[in-house]
Amino acid sequence: MLQDNDKILEDATNSEYKWGFSSPIDQEFAAKGLNEEVIRFISGRKDEPAWMLDWRLSAFEAWKKMKQPKWQNVTFPDINFQEIIYYAATRKKPTINSLDELDPEIRKTYDKLGIPIKEQEMLAGVAVDYVMDSESVFTTFKSQLAEKGVIFCSISEAVKDHPELIKKYLGSVVPVRDNYYAALNAAVFSDGSFVYIPKGVRCPMELSTYFRINAENTGQFERTLIIAEEGSYVSYLEGCTAPKRDENQLHAAVVELITMDDAEIKYSTVQNWYPGDKNGKGGIYNFVTKRGLCQGKRSKISWTQVETGSAITWKYPSCVLKGDNSIGEFYSVAVTNNFQQADTGTKMIHIGKNTRSRIVSKGISAGSSQNSYRGQVQIQKTAENAYNYSQCDSMLMTDHSGAHTFPYIDVKNSTAKVEHEATTSKIGEDMLFYCNQRGLSDEEAVNIIVNGFCKEVFKELPMEFAVEAQKLLQISLENSVG
Amino acid sequence: MISIKNLHAGIEEKEILKGFSLDIKAGEIHAIMGPNGTGKSTLASTLAGRKTYEVTAGEVQFNGKDLLDMEADERAREGLFLAFQYPVEIPGVSTTNFMRAAIAEKRKHHGLAPMEAKEFLVLMREKMALVEIDKQFMSRSLNEGFSGGEKKRNEIFQMAMLNPLLSILDETDSGLDIDALRIVANGVNKLRTKDNAFLIITHYQRLLEYIVPDFVHVMYDGRIVKSGGKELAMELEEKGYDWIKEENIVQ
């Protein structure tokens, strides 16, 4: 009888990936493999200044001396970095002034994804940057933002138009040599978003980037840099999807955030890269370095992530709480199904006095997947009265899925206070039957139970995004035959 | 309303219901009493379609349809309600949202458009008053941190919201103090119409002082061994269940 229950959960969690199409866009590619020539090619395609190329080349030198990390609780065959294409972009490099000039195939792709790339978007009040494969396609609302002095553009443009900011901040939070994939990204990053919020400005709209991998055998290496000056505020959203392919594709991004005194950055992610098929074939390797530096006093960085995609996810959005009284937050829902593996969590590094951090992690494991929370809370000697609260809850949907928790706590100041709570539960037959008895189908029941489980995280997301995240969760755990 | 014929059912190869038969007509209240371990809760779960219980023989017609042919959720949408003996807790899901989903599914099943938000709120308010539940319970996680009595009242509240044809109350009275018992009974009495029916499963006669049944059945070893009017409940209260056991062993 218990098997019946597992069967229900399995059926209810067998999903089809709905963003698995690819688009026939005329693209040009860098030669396969990684060498100095390829890096020069990427830099050349972007008309980069010499200092940018030098930065890339030094990163490449560093990367060559590094080794792929093996400590994560995930398994996969060694990646052959010479089999990856590091750059893919539309052939006609567009200088687009209006949406009508966008390649219709790209337009169609984003329409299929349901992204509101229309004038009506004005109403939604979301400015969007689209990154397909290696390049940023279009940034909306640039002029409205410019009135406030907000800069929101692709990072390639920023290298050209705001070199002083890029030189000062690029790699300042995640140094080139930080880790293997960060070094790789620094060498070959092709595009991404750049945001600058001037002193005292509250960004008038949500900023959003949509990432799409389209081309085959290519890696996506975007880089995002957000700087919030004194007393400013910005809410930034990112979403991502990729076509269904049998090969694994690598996504190695770097995100750097910096907040000055009294500034706040709220960074939300809905990650839905292709997770591979039911037998674990294909899918994206999502190896991402995200880190925020609370440089200023009373500044705040908040990460919210909903991770449903990718064959393997390996990321730890972190906060370095340097400014006194600064605050770091991490809210996460990670769903794994079939043969997905996720090793995700956060790092909270307390340096300044009275720094506070809060971690709420919800892991849901279905199918034969493995879901690990890995977190580090570090209270340094200087962090008088630091406070951390961590809560890690896991929900198992099947008997053959796994939930793991690896919390590391390192306290070097005796005035600090650190709290940790953890729970593991399984969706029980009694819970399902109770919902059934009120007229809810198995699918509807799983949906309502899971959404309840994730509520604390969803309420941190901006409204439209929360709705999208709930739908995504439903689809990720949906019955494919019903 | 419901016609149960020679129902045999059990759990993990063990037969618990051994030829249970009962007819309930619209407008009637039936009570089932009996000693512990005699199959009362198994009957409730089996009728509601819990998958851990397996039906091996018999048939059940519900409102002109084959009940055993339907999954638990469909039975519910067709108008069968079970007030649980041990209601489960669902963290993060408010009673309001849970009811909104349940009513939407039921209406969809009957080809109706979703209920207007305003209409839903009016209905909520009306039914909350019926079971004397404070509105703060509605936004709290379903049953989480509720006392035993609060959980049972919440069951009756849900019953009132869903307006079922047949309501089965599985030992709703167990663990209730006298005030909660009165509130629960009052709810049932007010919900009673000529078009719906109730099956009240109880171990004690106490609840039947507040909800007056049309028929009382005594269940023993998986089937009904004695039926009568409300006076049968009194007789059981006086004599206890031993005479039923003895009588049946003799047979």
Side-chain angles (χ1 to χ4, degrees):
Chain A
M1 298 292 170
L2 279 172
Q3 280 162 346
D4 279 357
N5 190 29
D6 282 343
K7 174 98 179 38
I8 294 163
L9 285 167
E10 253 180 71
D11 286 349
T13 54
N14 272 337
S15 64
E16 287 292 334
Y17 189 72
K18 302 197 171 161
W19 303 268
F21 61 90
S22 62
S23 312
I25 294 161
D26 186 18
Q27 290 183 309
E28 70 167 347
F29 300 91
K32 198 186 257 188
L34 184 56
N35 50 48
E36 209 177 295
E37 212 170 300
V38 166
I39 294 169
R40 285 179 189 279
F41 171 84
I42 295 170
S43 188
R45 273 290 170 276
K46 301 197 161 284
D47 295 323
E48 284 178 355
W51 58 267
M52 196 68 248
L53 175 62
D54 291 344
W55 196 78
R56 289 175 180 278
L57 292 173
S58 72
F60 181 55
E61 283 308 311
W63 178 76
K64 281 197 288 190
K65 296 189 189 94
M66 297 166 96
K67 283 198 168 66
Q68 282 189 57
K70 298 283 182 196
W71 48 265
Q72 320 86 304
N73 187 28
V74 299
T75 51
F76 58 94
D78 275 347
I79 297 169
N80 184 348
F81 289 93
Q82 299 307 332
E83 284 298 314
I84 295 170
I85 298 169
Y86 289 84
Y87 183 80
T90 44
R91 201 171 293 279
K92 321 162 236 177
K93 176 61 193 169
T95 322
I96 309 176
N97 295 311
S98 102
L99 289 166
D100 301 332
E101 294 170 34
L102 197 59
D103 183 329
E105 282 297 333
I106 294 179
R107 184 83 183 258
K108 246 195 257 170
T109 303
Y110 287 119
D111 281 346
K112 266 196 208 172
L113 293 169
I115 301 166
I117 191 169
K118 298 185 194 89
E119 299 301 318
Q120 293 99 307
E121 192 180 17
M122 194 88 82
L123 298 168
V126 179
V128 186
D129 186 20
Y130 301 96
V131 178
M132 184 181 288
D133 293 329
S134 303
E135 61 166 0
S136 179
V137 183
F138 195 84
T139 309
T140 58
F141 291 111
K142 213 178 272 184
S143 55
Q144 279 102 313
L145 291 167
E147 276 170 34
K148 292 262 187 183
V150 172
I151 304 167
F152 179 36
C153 63
S154 71
I155 203 132
S156 317
E157 281 174 86
V159 168
K160 274 180 255 171
D161 300 344
H162 309 283
E164 69 298 340
L165 290 171
I166 298 292
K167 275 185 188 170
K168 188 171 174 189
Y169 292 111
L170 195 72
S172 68
V173 184
V174 179
V176 163
R177 287 170 185 77
D178 187 82
N179 67 67
Y180 189 80
Y181 295 102
L184 177 66
N185 175 285
V188 301
F189 78 90
S190 35
D191 223 323
S193 298
F194 174 76
V195 177
Y196 177 83
I197 316 290
K199 189 172 166 179
V201 170
R202 202 182 159 83
C203 187
M205 55 185 84
E206 311 263 358
L207 302 183
S208 167
T209 298
Y210 202 89
F211 295 103
R212 172 79 180 164
I213 296 177
N214 186 57
E216 213 166 340
N217 294 323
T218 53
Q220 177 144 326
F221 305 93
E222 82 271 0
R223 206 168 171 108
T224 300
L225 174 61
I226 303 178
I227 303 153
E229 291 285 9
E230 195 181 321
S232 67
Y233 169 83
V234 64
S235 169
Y236 182 90
L237 325 170
E238 63 171 3
C240 17
T241 57
K244 278 184 181 182
R245 304 215 186 269
D246 286 346
E247 304 78 35
N248 294 107
Q249 281 178 287
L250 179 63
H251 170 253
V254 171
V255 176
E256 296 176 282
L257 313 180
I258 301 154
T259 49
M260 304 309 171
D261 285 358
D262 299 296
E264 179 178 349
I265 298 175
K266 193 172 166 53
Y267 194 104
S268 312
T269 304
V270 172
Q271 185 268 107
N272 185 29
W273 297 117
Y274 178 52
D277 69 10
K278 279 176 192 165
N279 303 312
K281 191 164 192 195
I284 305 294
Y285 289 166
N286 187 35
F287 302 158
V288 173
T289 307
K290 289 182 168 179
R291 195 174 303 154
L293 172 62
C294 284
Q295 168 88 46
K297 290 177 182 135
R298 299 168 300 274
S299 64
K300 180 175 174 183
I301 288 176
S302 181
W303 299 100
T304 306
Q305 59 171 26
V306 176
E307 305 276 323
T308 58
S310 299
I312 302 176
T313 294
W314 176 47
K315 65 180 258 201
Y316 313 91
S318 308
C319 298
V320 179
L321 304 170
K322 196 172 167 196
D324 290 348
N325 299 85
S326 60
I327 299 171
E329 291 177 336
F330 173 74
Y331 298 96
S332 170
V333 167
V335 182
T336 51
N337 198 351
N338 300 319
F339 288 89
Q340 282 176 277
Q341 306 175 64
D343 190 315
T344 183
T346 184
K347 278 194 268 188
M348 293 290 172
I349 314 292
H350 293 253
I351 301 171
K353 293 187 185 77
N354 305 314
T355 46
R356 282 180 289 153
S357 62
R358 181 178 166 84
I359 298 169
V360 178
S361 164
K362 304 277 180 176
I364 299 163
S365 325
S368 307
S369 66
Q370 295 297 327
N371 201 326
S372 302
Y373 166 81
R374 187 185 302 275
Q376 185 182 17
V377 175
Q378 196 189 95
I379 314 277
Q380 299 198 350
K381 258 186 194 151
T382 47
E384 288 285 318
N385 296 314
Y387 173 70
N388 163 264
Y389 172 77
S390 304
Q391 183 190 336
C392 307
D393 299 324
S394 309
M395 182 177 265
L396 292 168
M397 308 278 268
T398 57
D399 285 335
H400 44 284
S401 57
H404 316 270
T405 305
F406 305 99
Y408 300 93
I409 298 171
D410 178 14
V411 180
K412 294 205 175 76
N413 185 310
S414 59
T415 61
K417 203 173 154 195
V418 176
E419 293 175 31
H420 181 91
E421 286 178 36
T423 64
T424 302
S425 54
K426 185 166 189 281
I427 287 197
E429 182 271 338
D430 56 342
M431 236 187 227
L432 277 179
F433 176 60
Y434 191 82
C435 294
N436 287 158
Q437 212 301 303
R438 299 304 184 248
L440 305 177
S441 63
D442 290 333
E443 211 172 290
E444 192 68 29
V446 168
N447 187 32
I448 206 163
I449 294 166
V450 166
N451 268 300
F453 178 71
C454 301
K455 192 178 162 195
E456 281 163 283
V457 174
F458 285 162
K459 72 170 196 244
E460 295 298 322
L461 288 171
M463 184 69 131
E464 319 85 88
F465 232 41
V467 173
E468 194 187 321
Q470 280 181 23
K471 273 193 220 149
L472 191 59
L473 212 68
Q474 186 173 3
I475 292 162
S476 300
L477 297 170
E478 176 174 89
N479 185 350
S480 57
V481 282
Chain B
M1 169 98 42
I2 192 164
S3 170
I4 307 163
K5 284 202 180 74
N6 190 32
L7 187 61
H8 289 255
I11 188 164
E12 282 162 8
E13 314 278 304
K14 187 177 175 242
E15 187 169 68
I16 300 170
L17 295 183
K18 300 170 184 173
F20 184 95
S21 298
L22 178 66
D23 279 305
I24 299 176
K25 295 191 180 65
E28 294 177 350
I29 296 184
H30 289 242
I32 290 194
M33 301 181 72
N36 287 329
T38 202
K40 301 194 297 294
S41 285
T42 296
L43 174 69
S45 294
T46 304
L47 291 178
R50 192 166 193 156
K51 289 187 189 78
T52 40
Y53 293 86
E54 200 184 349
V55 174
T56 47
E59 55 183 271
V60 183
Q61 288 286 315
F62 176 58
N63 200 26
K65 288 182 183 160
D66 182 356
L67 187 80
L68 301 179
D69 204 35
M70 293 184 252
E71 296 285 346
D73 51 330
E74 200 184 345
R75 297 182 195 192
R77 294 193 292 267
E78 282 288 325
L80 187 142
F81 183 91
L82 171 62
F84 284 66
Q85 185 176 4
Y86 305 108
V88 302
E89 300 180 359
I90 307 182
V93 179
S94 67
T95 304
T96 305
N97 281 342
F98 190 61
M99 277 296 102
R100 193 175 284 140
I103 287 179
E105 287 301 307
K106 185 170 178 178
R107 290 177 67 96
K108 197 164 82 186
H109 180 75
H110 293 282
L112 297 167
M115 195 179 265
E116 295 285 330
K118 202 181 159 197
E119 193 187 342
F120 179 78
L121 287 174
V122 169
L123 185 71
M124 287 271 292
R125 229 170 275 143
E126 180 195 324
K127 305 305 181 190
M128 277 190 290
L130 183 78
V131 290
E132 300 175 37
I133 281 189
D134 193 87
K135 70 169 188 292
Q136 55 134 337
F137 280 92
M138 296 298 118
S139 50
R140 276 169 55 180
S141 288
L142 190 68
N143 292 324
E144 206 179 37
F146 285 26
S147 71
E150 285 161 355
K151 283 182 186 172
K152 295 295 174 69
R153 261 148 73 184
N154 194 278
E155 291 293 288
I156 303 301
F157 167 75
Q158 293 182 43
M159 183 176 94
M161 289 293 288
L162 292 166
N163 191 25
L165 285 173
L166 175 66
S167 301
I168 303 169
L169 278 65
D170 186 10
E171 308 224 7
T172 299
D173 53 335
S174 67
L176 287 191
D177 62 30
I178 202 76
D179 289 331
L181 194 68
R182 183 186 50 76
I183 290 167
V184 164
N186 189 37
V188 172
N189 289 330
K190 282 192 178 148
L191 291 171
R192 181 179 188 180
T193 70
K194 62 175 174 40
D195 300 315
N196 61 20
F198 294 83
L199 178 60
I200 295 169
I201 292 171
T202 180
H203 186 70
Y204 302 104
Q205 183 264 346
R206 199 173 60 146
L207 180 65
L208 304 180
E209 287 173 15
Y210 297 91
I211 305 171
V212 180
D214 301 300
F215 301 94
V216 174
H217 311 278
V218 181
M219 196 169 165
Y220 183 71
D221 196 23
R223 61 188 184 276
I224 288 173
V225 293
K226 204 171 182 66
S227 295
K230 59 176 185 276
E231 67 289 345
L232 180 58
M234 303 295 290
E235 197 179 343
L236 282 168
E237 186 75 3
E238 267 171 42
K239 294 191 189 168
Y241 289 116
D242 284 350
W243 61 282
I244 297 283
K245 289 181 193 171
E246 280 160 24
E247 227 171 67
N248 280 280
I249 290 164
V250 173
Q251 281 173 3

